[in-house]
């Protein structure tokens, strides 16, 4: 006979909502139990791409470097919006101003000031991605990192992965129970394990954009894996 102390709540992502209290339920089992942890994935093409882009400018004075950078960056941001990226999908992530030096014969020689500005952006129409990258180069972007492909709303893929986990867990538990001389199982505990991000991203990195490159940059989004993992306790029954 085995006594289990179970939380009467399905714990999603390994965490409970703030302030939520689990009720402890004492369950006494007359039969042996099976503990399983099952993970499954569902493959799906991405529907968004995130990336960072920006400009670097050099000038003899700090004010001139910042002014030139502001003008060039304004052109890049304007292009982002023209290509269909909403204000909510554009976020400034880094602004820098640094002195630059050369070194000759062990001597430090001042070159000027370098200003840089980077933004993160999210593109929701992947059909535009190749032409989008080329357009940024024409409008003065000097740096590009990404894209990192993702899924804007992966809830239905998460649910599909959970369905696969549940079916696999039930089949495996029933198979083990029959090997032990029992006819079926009943679920005593289900806990969804923390998966962190709901999918595994596939990043691609490009730097120092060249406006003289091919007219359309080839992009291959591939597929992403949406994962679910759950732990179960089953009681074997006659």
């Amino acid at each position: 006979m085995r006594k289990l102390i179970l939380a009467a709540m399905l714990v999603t992502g390994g965490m409970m909502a703030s302030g939520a209290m689990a009720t402890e339920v004492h369950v006494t089992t007359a039969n042996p139990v099976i503990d399983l942890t099952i993970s499954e994935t569902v493959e799906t093409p991405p529907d968004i791409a995130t990336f960072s882009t920006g400009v670097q400018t050099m000038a003899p004075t700090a004010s001139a470097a910042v002014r030139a950078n502001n003008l060039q960056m304004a052109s890049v941001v304007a292009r982002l919006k023209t290509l269909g990226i909403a204000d909510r999908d554009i976020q400034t992530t880094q602004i820098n101003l640094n002195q630059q030096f050369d070194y000759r014969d062990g001597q430090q020689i001042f070159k000027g000031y370098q200003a840089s500005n980077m933004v993160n952006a999210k593109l929701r129409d992947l059909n535009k991605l190749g032409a989008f990258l080329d357009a940024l180069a024409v409008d003065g972007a000097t740096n590009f990192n990404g894209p990192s492909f993702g899924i804007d709303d992966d809830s239905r893929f998460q649910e599909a992965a959970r369905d696969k986990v549940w079916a696999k867990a039930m089949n495996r538990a029933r198979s083990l129970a029959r090997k032990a001389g029992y006819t079926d199982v009943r679920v005593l505990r289900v806990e969804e394990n923390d998966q962190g991000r709901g999918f595994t991203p596939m990043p691609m990195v490009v730097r120092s954009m060249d406006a003289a490159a091919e007219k359309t940059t080839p992009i291959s989004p591939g597929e992403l894996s949406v994962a679910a993992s759950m732990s179960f306790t089953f009681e074997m029954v006659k």
Side-chain angles (χ1 to χ4, degrees), residues 7-206:
M9 177 178 289
L10 176 63
V11 182
T12 302
M15 299 181 68
M16 299 178 190
S18 177
M21 298 296 292
T23 301
E24 287 189 351
V25 180
H26 296 258
V27 179
T28 300
T29 62
N31 301 315
V33 299
I34 301 169
D35 293 314
L36 294 176
T37 297
I38 305 294
S39 299
E40 283 288 348
T41 60
V42 172
E43 307 299 320
T44 183
D47 58 13
I48 59 172
T50 57
F51 56 89
S52 62
T53 187
V55 297
Q56 290 182 339
T57 53
M58 283 282 295
T61 67
S63 60
V66 170
R67 185 165 54 251
N69 191 271
N70 289 345
L71 290 172
Q72 199 166 330
M73 193 64 194
S75 178
V76 171
V77 171
R79 171 60 71 173
L80 292 175
K81 295 179 180 180
T82 299
L83 293 171
I85 295 186
D87 287 339
R88 66 188 176 95
D89 290 329
I90 303 173
Q91 182 181 53
T92 299
T93 58
Q94 189 178 69
I95 298 175
N96 288 319
L97 177 65
N98 297 293
Q99 292 180 329
Q100 298 295 304
F101 298 92
D102 275 336
Y103 292 87
R104 298 175 189 168
D105 301 324
Q107 298 294 316
Q108 182 174 271
I109 302 173
F110 177 71
K111 287 176 57 179
Y113 288 87
Q114 183 184 75
S116 62
N117 191 331
M118 296 291 293
V119 297
N120 280 347
K122 181 185 296 183
L123 183 66
R124 299 178 184 274
D125 184 355
L126 297 188
N127 291 326
K128 296 180 179 179
L129 187 54
F132 179 83
L133 302 182
D134 300 328
L136 283 181
V138 172
D139 281 304
T142 57
N143 290 281
F144 180 87
N145 295 282
S148 179
F149 296 105
I151 304 168
D152 194 32
D153 180 5
D154 68 347
S155 58
R156 66 188 178 96
F157 303 108
Q158 284 278 353
E159 193 61 28
R162 291 188 190 104
D163 289 344
K164 290 179 66 176
V165 167
W166 190 277
K168 185 174 182 178
M170 293 298 298
N171 288 337
R172 184 175 297 179
R174 283 171 174 152
S175 175
L176 292 171
R178 288 170 188 142
K179 292 179 187 298
Y182 292 82
T183 58
D184 207 348
V185 295
R186 70 185 182 103
V187 179
L188 297 180
R189 178 183 69 93
V190 182
E191 180 177 339
E192 184 167 18
N193 303 320
D194 186 7
Q195 291 291 301
R197 295 185 67 173
F199 56 85
T200 304
M202 301 171 62
M204 182 171 65
V205 177
V206 182

